[in-house]
Amino acid sequence: MNCYLGIDIGSISTKGVIVNDQDEIISSCYISTEGSPIEATKRLLNKLEIKDDYIIKGIGTTGSARKIIGLMLDANVVKNEITAHAIGTIHLYPNIKTILEIGGQDSKIIIIRNGIVTDYAMNTLCAAGTGSFLSSQAKRLDINVEDFGNIALKSKTPAKIAARCTVFAESDLVHKAQIGYSKEDIVAGLCKSVVLNYLNNVCKGKKLEEPIIFQGGVSKNKGVHKYFEEILGKEVIVHPNGHLMGAYGIALLAKKNKSNKEYSHKLLDIKFITLGTECHGCSNNCELIKIYKDNELVDTWGSKCGKF
Amino acid sequence: MGDYIIPSKYLLKHLINYEIIEPPKITSKTKEIGEKYSPEFVCTPFKYTLGTMIEALELGANTLIQFGGGCRYGYYHELQRQIINDLGYQCEVINLISGGKLINLKSLLKKFHIKKLKGLYYTFITIKMIKYMDKIDDYIRLNACYEKEVGSMKKIKEQMLKAFSETKGYFDLIKKYYYFKRKLKKVPKVNKEVMKIGLIGELYTLMEPMANYHIEDELIKMGCRVKRFTNVTYLLFQKKKAVKKYLKNFFIKYRMGSDALDNIHHTKYLCEHDYDGIIHIKSSFCTPEVTAIPIIDKVAKEYNVPIIFFSMNLNTSETGIKTRLEAFYDMLEMRKKR
């Protein structure tokens, strides 16, 4: 059976899907990156259950570590996450108009009209409205991030928390906790602040038209979803595979650009090492990133003058 | 700024009997120095120029010549002089342009004992050189995407710049220009479909590749035909006429400082001439452009042309810019296929 592998390596989590010729997801996996995309990809490929009769005809990578993993797996498509998310979502919902996406480090909005991307935006400076903020606050409150949504739903009067900046939000949160707000209210306030921050920072001036879909890791948080619907006053769809959409999109792209190459199942045995050195050829002091495959230099990135 | 050091150096070399110190190219070190001594919320050109100034002073310069601009940049030389003096460097800063007009010219002539006729002759050659350089740059921007061997046009340009810096006289310059122009036209090309992109925005960030993180090269690598209006020829010789024309237009009746007005009209031009996409870049905290952005956005939306805004700071992440640029290109490609 022909199949295509799509991997989305984000800052917090790594997602992988295998898609067959009918564009169905036949296997998927979601693990945390733990700061090491190469190791995470190896674990992911182990967990994906690539059966012996699967013939991998194409591999696509996306996410912030797309380049190195693309090199490692010799992928035929290496694309940015904005395109991958749009392609995956449009495939499932042909008449979708707005995609809201909140991931670990970044949040983005993609506006789609007639099945093509017409506008997009990504958070630029601040990570306040993203998953990493929520998880760090969860740790602070000693709650599992997974339970965040359910706890938030219990609250009737969410605490008001400054949404503009992570640092402000955190000091506000401490203040609210110290004057005795209940945990539910604080958690609900946090979820609400994520939504407000997202709408203020990312969606500036964009028209959010229905149907709207909410994706990314944070879409699993029911609290955030609830406040999106409440504040926008519109229905917001959350797909059960919302967190896999980037990987799904890139797998579809890999299928579209398929090569005649067949990928072996033993992608995992290759040793990959990245070494960072500084070039002192001029005062630019470029940080050179050298990538070794089985102790052999395969690529160097980061040079500004093109010397390497 | 960019490659304009070559004509400026040429002019000064022939006019002044002083030693001329070429400021080093802007590198990460320049950025560091500039950032260290600048107020935080000043726009980025201030930081870059301050860094360059200090680097030049370190090399032994004692007089700095600057061309101020039409926005608050016109006052920067004063502030920069104070910062430099506070740091303990003894030097003089001469600003030549303020409010779009040449100033201090007479005193400059007197100070350096420049004969008027000689001054005119070399100024004429320098202007011609700038015009030729801009023409070649325009040609490369529009055609580099077709080249068979990537980077071949840029190599010719490097050769040309070197030859220009050794120009002997007016006729020598003309000869060199036509030689390199012919050479550029002979570069083997491949016919392919390309994306037409318009590049607008604040002048310093547009013209200094280090400040815009080499966005032009990046676009050309992706296969884009890049149109850029702003260059020194435009700023010095065409802008005045253009602005008069723009002001008659019903869109905007007042000048908004610097290039804000021009950019709005360039947006309109790009939209009307079937460009696939527009990229607007500015340095952070650039006031005229911030005022212009909502209007530019509206014009582009009316014509249904995609536009993306970049705000470049000293510590903008390069990966972030690349991701957005890639996504922009993909978006244009998807639109084109329909």
Side-chain angles (χ1 to χ4, degrees):
Chain A
M1 183 170 58
N2 287 346
C3 60
Y4 310 91
L5 178 62
I7 304 177
D8 178 355
I9 316 100
S11 57
I12 303 276
S13 60
T14 299
K15 286 80 70 179
V17 296
I18 297 176
V19 169
N20 64 8
D21 266 329
Q22 285 76 45
D23 296 338
E24 289 156 357
I25 297 176
I26 45 177
S27 173
S28 74
C29 184
Y30 177 97
I31 58 171
S32 84
T33 308
E34 290 168 5
S36 159
I38 294 174
E39 288 307 311
T41 311
K42 284 182 181 172
R43 269 189 290 134
L44 182 95
L45 291 175
N46 268 331
K47 280 194 180 170
L48 264 177
E49 296 168 13
I50 306 173
K51 285 176 193 142
D52 284 339
D53 60 329
Y54 289 180
I55 304 160
I56 304 170
K57 281 278 173 121
I59 295 182
T61 57
T62 184
S64 42
R66 60 183 178 276
K67 224 172 141 190
I68 181 159
I69 304 300
L71 190 74
M72 174 177 146
L73 299 178
D74 198 14
N76 54 341
V77 181
V78 179
K79 269 260 150 71
N80 59 79
E81 49 273 35
I82 300 171
T83 312
H85 268 277
I87 300 254
T89 317
I90 292 169
H91 196 83
L92 287 184
Y93 298 89
N95 42 16
I96 199 82
K97 281 190 167 168
T98 311
I99 303 175
L100 315 171
E101 207 262 351
I102 305 185
Q105 277 293 337
D106 58 4
S107 45
K108 42 195 169 284
I109 176 168
I110 307 171
I111 308 278
I112 291 164
R113 297 286 179 269
N114 303 324
I116 49 169
V117 179
T118 57
D119 200 0
Y120 69 88
M122 213 166 158
N123 62 334
T124 45
L125 295 169
C126 184
T130 60
S132 64
F133 169 61
L134 280 183
S135 59
S136 73
Q137 295 315 322
K139 212 171 264 169
R140 195 191 165 82
L141 295 168
D142 205 15
I143 305 171
N144 272 334
V145 197
E146 289 80 18
D147 307 330
F148 230 71
N150 288 329
I151 296 174
L153 288 183
K154 282 184 203 153
S155 160
K156 292 213 170 65
T157 50
K160 256 194 186 166
I161 287 172
R164 215 159 55 87
C165 164
T166 325
V167 182
F168 289 150
E170 188 162 343
S171 52
D172 217 21
L173 184 108
V174 173
H175 173 68
K176 290 279 145 71
Q178 302 305 63
I179 54 174
Y181 272 85
S182 72
K183 238 178 204 178
E184 286 94 51
D185 286 351
I186 289 173
V187 169
L190 266 177
C191 293
K192 202 172 176 178
S193 87
V194 166
V195 173
L196 286 173
N197 182 289
Y198 177 83
L199 294 177
N200 284 338
N201 278 343
V202 185
C203 308
K204 282 184 277 204
K206 307 230 179 312
K207 261 189 199 143
L208 307 184
E209 279 180 33
E210 275 178 298
I212 300 169
I213 189 163
F214 177 32
Q215 296 178 347
V218 179
S219 69
K220 297 271 157 214
N221 185 324
K222 285 173 198 152
V224 177
H225 177 213
K226 179 192 150 196
Y227 287 114
F228 258 125
E229 287 194 323
E230 207 178 285
I231 291 166
L232 289 173
K234 287 169 184 160
E235 195 202 341
V236 176
I237 311 164
V238 172
H239 190 270
N241 281 338
H243 57 295
L244 295 174
M245 220 44 99
Y248 182 56
I250 201 72
L252 293 178
L253 278 172
K255 184 188 157 207
K256 218 168 151 191
N257 302 346
K258 68 179 151 197
S259 53
N260 290 323
K261 210 163 33 176
E262 260 181 46
Y263 291 88
S264 78
H265 290 195
K266 293 194 179 69
L267 304 157
L268 311 167
D269 302 339
I270 309 159
K271 214 172 154 192
F272 255 80
I273 301 170
T274 309
L275 282 179
T277 50
E278 227 172 61
C279 167
H280 294 292
C282 67
S283 52
N284 258 334
N285 294 337
C286 298
E287 191 192 348
L288 296 179
I289 297 146
K290 291 183 176 165
I291 292 153
Y292 295 89
K293 183 181 185 178
D294 282 342
N295 292 328
E296 190 188 321
L297 183 69
V298 281
D299 210 347
T300 307
W301 301 334
S303 138
K304 286 194 176 89
C305 60
K307 195 167 153 191
F308 295 98
Chain B
M1 185 165 51
D3 303 316
Y4 292 113
I5 181 68
I6 286 158
S8 340
K9 200 184 164 190
Y10 177 79
L11 177 67
L12 293 173
K13 195 170 81 186
H14 285 275
L15 287 186
I16 306 175
N17 225 349
Y18 287 65
E19 190 195 346
I20 292 152
I21 292 167
E22 187 177 334
K25 271 199 171 168
I26 293 183
T27 59
S28 316
K29 198 182 147 209
T30 322
K31 285 187 187 180
E32 250 170 56
I33 299 174
E35 202 174 17
K36 192 171 166 192
Y37 297 115
S38 305
E40 199 191 340
F41 288 107
V42 79
C43 69
T44 21
F46 183 96
K47 297 177 185 173
Y48 282 107
T49 44
L50 185 69
T52 313
M53 280 169 151
I54 294 175
E55 273 187 323
L57 289 168
E58 286 285 326
L59 289 173
N62 61 7
T63 309
L64 302 169
I65 294 180
Q66 195 177 33
F67 294 88
C71 54
R72 56 179 173 174
Y73 199 90
Y75 306 108
Y76 278 1
H77 68 102
E78 193 52 42
L79 191 55
Q80 284 171 334
R81 188 182 59 78
Q82 276 184 21
I83 293 176
I84 289 167
N85 286 350
D86 285 350
L87 286 174
Y89 296 103
Q90 285 310 317
C91 78
E92 207 179 328
V93 183
I94 301 171
N95 184 35
L96 283 184
I97 297 181
S98 180
K101 276 179 203 145
L102 275 172
I103 53 159
N104 288 341
L105 205 58
K106 264 189 190 162
S107 60
L108 192 76
L109 289 178
K110 226 178 196 175
K111 186 173 156 58
F112 294 114
H113 312 292
I114 300 165
K115 289 197 184 93
K116 266 190 190 154
L117 213 66
K118 198 180 166 193
L120 268 177
Y121 176 67
Y122 281 110
T123 313
F124 177 69
I125 292 182
T126 310
I127 289 171
K128 213 62 196 173
M129 197 189 284
I130 291 174
K131 278 189 176 170
Y132 284 155
M133 271 170 61
D134 286 343
K135 268 187 191 161
I136 295 280
D137 269 342
D138 278 343
Y139 181 84
I140 292 178
R141 269 196 289 276
L142 290 176
N143 292 293
C145 50
Y146 298 110
E147 65 190 4
K148 212 170 183 179
E149 192 191 322
V150 181
S152 44
M153 286 193 181
K154 243 189 143 181
K155 260 183 211 154
I156 295 176
K157 195 190 135 189
E158 294 294 323
Q159 287 167 13
M160 185 195 76
L161 290 176
K162 202 167 170 256
F164 271 15
S165 64
E166 291 155 2
T167 306
K168 284 188 194 79
Y170 181 53
F171 292 105
D172 190 37
L173 180 73
I174 296 178
K175 218 171 83 194
K176 276 174 178 163
Y177 167 66
Y178 282 104
Y179 170 74
F180 284 108
K181 200 176 159 191
R182 240 175 291 136
K183 213 171 164 187
L184 266 183
K185 289 215 166 131
K186 271 187 207 150
V187 169
K189 283 183 198 164
V190 214
N191 230 347
K192 60 175 176 186
E193 198 148 287
V194 293
M195 212 65 83
K196 278 165 79 188
I197 302 250
L199 208 54
I200 55 170
E202 179 254 325
L203 61 104
Y204 187 92
T205 315
L206 270 178
M207 290 198 280
E208 173 56 53
M210 197 65 190
N212 60 36
Y213 296 87
H214 302 275
I215 201 167
E216 267 174 31
D217 295 347
E218 214 58 54
L219 283 171
I220 287 168
K221 236 189 265 167
M222 286 176 186
C224 298
R225 211 178 140 93
V226 183
K227 166 93 186 162
R228 189 184 92 187
F229 297 89
T230 318
N231 52 30
V232 171
T233 313
Y234 173 80
L235 292 172
L236 288 183
F237 307 107
Q238 295 160 357
K239 186 179 158 92
K240 221 174 180 181
K241 218 170 146 190
V243 168
K244 251 187 204 160
K245 204 177 97 195
Y246 296 154
L247 282 175
K248 274 185 198 155
N249 198 295
F250 62 93
F251 244 136
I252 291 143
K253 292 203 174 85
Y254 305 98
R255 300 190 58 169
M256 298 159 73
S258 198
D259 293 344
L261 177 69
D262 315 41
N263 280 331
I264 294 164
H265 279 270
H266 292 155
T267 313
K268 200 168 159 242
Y269 173 92
L270 293 169
C271 295
E272 280 166 357
H273 287 76
D274 289 333
Y275 273 77
D276 296 304
I278 302 171
I279 297 177
H280 179 279
I281 47 181
K282 70 168 179 66
S283 63
S284 304
F285 317 117
C286 173
T287 331
E289 294 303 326
V290 168
T291 344
I293 281 177
I295 310 174
I296 290 172
D297 200 28
K298 188 166 184 241
V299 173
K301 283 228 167 87
E302 247 165 47
Y303 284 94
N304 197 16
V305 175
I307 184 161
I308 180 172
F309 298 95
F310 282 110
S311 188
M312 305 292 191
N313 205 343
L314 285 179
N315 31 28
T316 309
S317 118
E318 218 172 327
T319 341
I321 294 172
K322 263 187 196 157
T323 304
R324 285 171 183 79
L325 214 57
E326 249 178 55
F328 188 66
Y329 185 83
D330 287 341
M331 179 171 104
L332 298 183
E333 214 173 21
M334 271 161 95
R335 279 171 76 110
K336 210 164 188 179
K337 271 184 194 153
R338 280 292 166 96

